[in-house]
Amino acid sequence: MPEHNSTTELKTTTDQARLRLSSLENLDDLETWRLEVLGRHGLLTNLMKGIGDLPNEIRKEFGQIANQERANLENAYTNRLLELKNTPNDTSGVDVSLPGRLPVRGALHPITQVRRQILDVFTRLGFTTIEGPEVEADSYNFGKLRIPPDHPARDMWDTFWLDGSHLDEKILLRTHTSPMQIRYMESHPEPPIRIAVPGRCYRYEATDATHEWMLEQVELLVIDQGITLANLKGTLQEWARQMFGADRKIMMRHSYFPFVEPGVEVAIDCFDCDGSDRSCGICRGSGWLELLGAGMVHPEIIAEAGYDPDVYSGFAAGMGVERVAMVLQGVTDIRHYHDNRHPFLSQF
Ligand SMILES: [Zn+2]
């Protein structure tokens, strides 16, 4: 039996719909197609509406074909829907030409970076890094460092006192890393000693561009036979070269710290100008930058630790990590470091 025109028309229509379906590239177009072809007022529904006008002998066959075609198209639709949903370059809601979002990248705090730089140099020079308690006993922070109660030097190191009423002596937040000199010597009966002690220290004082109530220090202690001021100078000279450049010179000037004799303040020559630029932001025209305090360990402290001061001598040095960082990083206000503001910190 030859196909009736209506049946041919039905097949042509569904073939075209199927062809269009396979060319659809996004979910919006697919939904439009679904409404036009399978929807309540879609193509197939319209074709079925004419079934009542068909001659009896082909009505049944037309109905069967139409139902079969609808089922086929619904299957094809479902498949295409799954395909488009699983295609990574589905462009229905995403502009694939946009640049990607960069992940947020973390970094070490600038003070941590500089502390590590400092310690790297001393590690290469043979120092061992150790740490000590931030809460200290009065005797370790002051007394054993030759700063008894009422000593005027205590005025330089006012600090935060803690409630130690249940203890034998007063406790405080350490004002420097020097207590670890004593603690380390007490626990090591025999020199040689060559240690670097990083850590936080606290001062009870008003803050300004160069003073903070919390700061990081790195302390050095060397004790051995025949250690002289020349060893101190050589060590710090080499450190300055590795931190600030091979041409750096250091200058030592006499200073006073109760636990060393003699005591020195150590400066490096300005690496930005040679002292000729009065407006130099780093040295203000002086040509030198004060960086740290140091000196030869007082013989009384060596004796107190149980070593023979006629056999052993040593040097100690303490530097503020923030101070070194400010010089290295060109930062003019120490308070920036612990403000925790991201725009500042993210520069490093
Ligand atoms: Zn300068």
Side-chain angles (χ1 to χ4, degrees):
M1 189 171 74
E3 275 192 343
H4 189 272
N5 280 347
S6 301
T7 312
T8 316
E9 189 189 345
L10 174 68
K11 283 189 170 170
T12 310
T13 306
T14 54
D15 280 350
Q16 283 171 351
R18 209 183 333 270
L19 205 62
R20 246 179 74 213
L21 179 66
S22 62
S23 69
L24 296 179
E25 290 298 340
N26 65 61
L27 294 170
D28 285 344
D29 291 350
L30 184 66
E31 178 60 10
T32 306
W33 179 93
R34 188 186 68 81
L35 292 171
E36 283 176 9
V37 178
L38 303 171
R40 259 199 308 161
H41 307 288
L43 275 176
L44 282 175
T45 311
N46 285 341
L47 283 168
M48 291 295 276
K49 272 183 190 160
I51 197 171
D53 302 332
L54 292 176
N56 272 339
E57 64 271 21
I58 60 158
R59 196 181 293 168
K60 190 181 169 200
E61 191 203 357
F62 181 88
Q64 281 172 349
I65 294 175
N67 282 334
Q68 187 58 50
E69 287 298 329
R70 172 177 281 275
N72 290 345
L73 285 172
E74 280 172 352
N75 270 339
Y77 164 80
T78 307
N79 289 339
R80 190 70 189 136
L81 180 68
L82 289 175
E83 269 172 33
L84 288 180
K85 276 190 172 171
N86 291 327
T87 305
N89 60 359
D90 160 31
T91 54
S92 59
V94 180
D95 182 349
V96 294
S97 67
L98 280 175
R101 291 193 183 94
L102 285 176
V104 180
R105 214 172 118 223
L108 292 172
H109 191 280
I111 293 301
T112 305
Q113 294 177 29
V114 173
R115 185 213 310 130
R116 289 189 178 183
Q117 251 178 291
I118 293 170
L119 290 172
D120 279 351
V121 176
F122 289 123
T123 301
R124 286 195 290 274
L125 293 175
F127 286 76
T128 303
T129 298
I130 60 151
E131 288 181 288
E134 288 178 31
V135 174
E136 259 302 358
D138 181 281
S139 59
Y140 281 92
N141 196 82
F142 293 123
K144 291 173 185 242
L145 288 164
R146 302 183 73 253
I147 315 171
D150 306 324
H151 192 288
R154 288 211 180 201
D155 292 345
M156 299 197 300
W157 291 292
D158 200 2
T159 186
F160 301 96
W161 295 89
L162 304 171
D163 178 16
S165 51
H166 57 297
L167 301 168
D168 294 340
E169 64 170 314
K170 295 200 285 184
I171 50 172
L172 49 86
L173 295 181
R174 68 178 174 191
T175 60
H176 47 186
T177 39
S178 305
M180 274 312 285
Q181 292 185 26
I182 308 296
R183 287 189 178 280
Y184 196 84
M185 285 192 278
E186 283 182 353
S187 59
H188 290 77
E190 277 300 318
I193 290 172
R194 205 185 295 169
I195 54 169
V197 188
R200 282 189 172 162
C201 308
Y202 303 84
R203 306 274 168 90
Y204 181 68
E205 63 181 8
T207 64
D208 61 29
T210 54
H211 295 86
E212 254 292 19
W213 59 269
M214 178 180 75
L215 62 149
E216 284 211 30
Q217 282 193 339
V218 171
E219 182 95 8
L220 302 179
L221 177 67
V222 172
I223 306 277
D224 204 348
Q225 294 183 29
I227 298 294
T228 70
L229 204 62
N231 298 108
L232 169 62
K233 189 176 181 186
T235 301
L236 294 178
Q237 171 74 74
E238 186 52 30
W239 172 76
R241 283 186 183 138
Q242 294 199 27
M243 287 294 288
F244 298 100
D247 298 333
R248 293 285 64 75
K249 291 190 283 285
I250 66 167
M251 173 172 67
M252 302 203 303
R253 275 186 289 218
H254 178 258
S255 184
Y256 172 72
F257 305 102
F259 37 101
V260 288
E261 179 58 38
V264 290
E265 265 173 11
V266 182
I268 61 165
D269 60 331
C270 180
F271 49 81
D272 213 34
C273 75
D274 51 5
S276 57
D277 181 4
R278 284 197 159 205
S279 60
C280 173
I282 294 176
C283 71
R284 295 196 177 81
S286 73
W288 295 95
L289 295 160
E290 289 283 354
L291 275 191
L292 59 117
M296 300 306 290
V297 179
H298 200 288
E300 280 181 19
I301 287 179
I302 290 181
E304 199 60 34
Y307 309 150
D308 183 349
D310 292 329
V311 177
Y312 293 108
S313 56
F315 69 78
M319 64 182 73
V321 179
E322 283 85 354
R323 170 78 180 134
V324 175
M326 287 170 80
V327 171
L328 271 180
Q329 298 167 341
V331 171
T332 53
D333 193 324
I334 193 174
R335 291 168 294 191
H336 290 322
Y337 285 118
H338 300 300
D339 273 355
N340 256 351
R341 285 185 310 115
H342 191 250
F344 172 78
L345 295 175
S346 60
Q347 298 175 72
F348 303 99

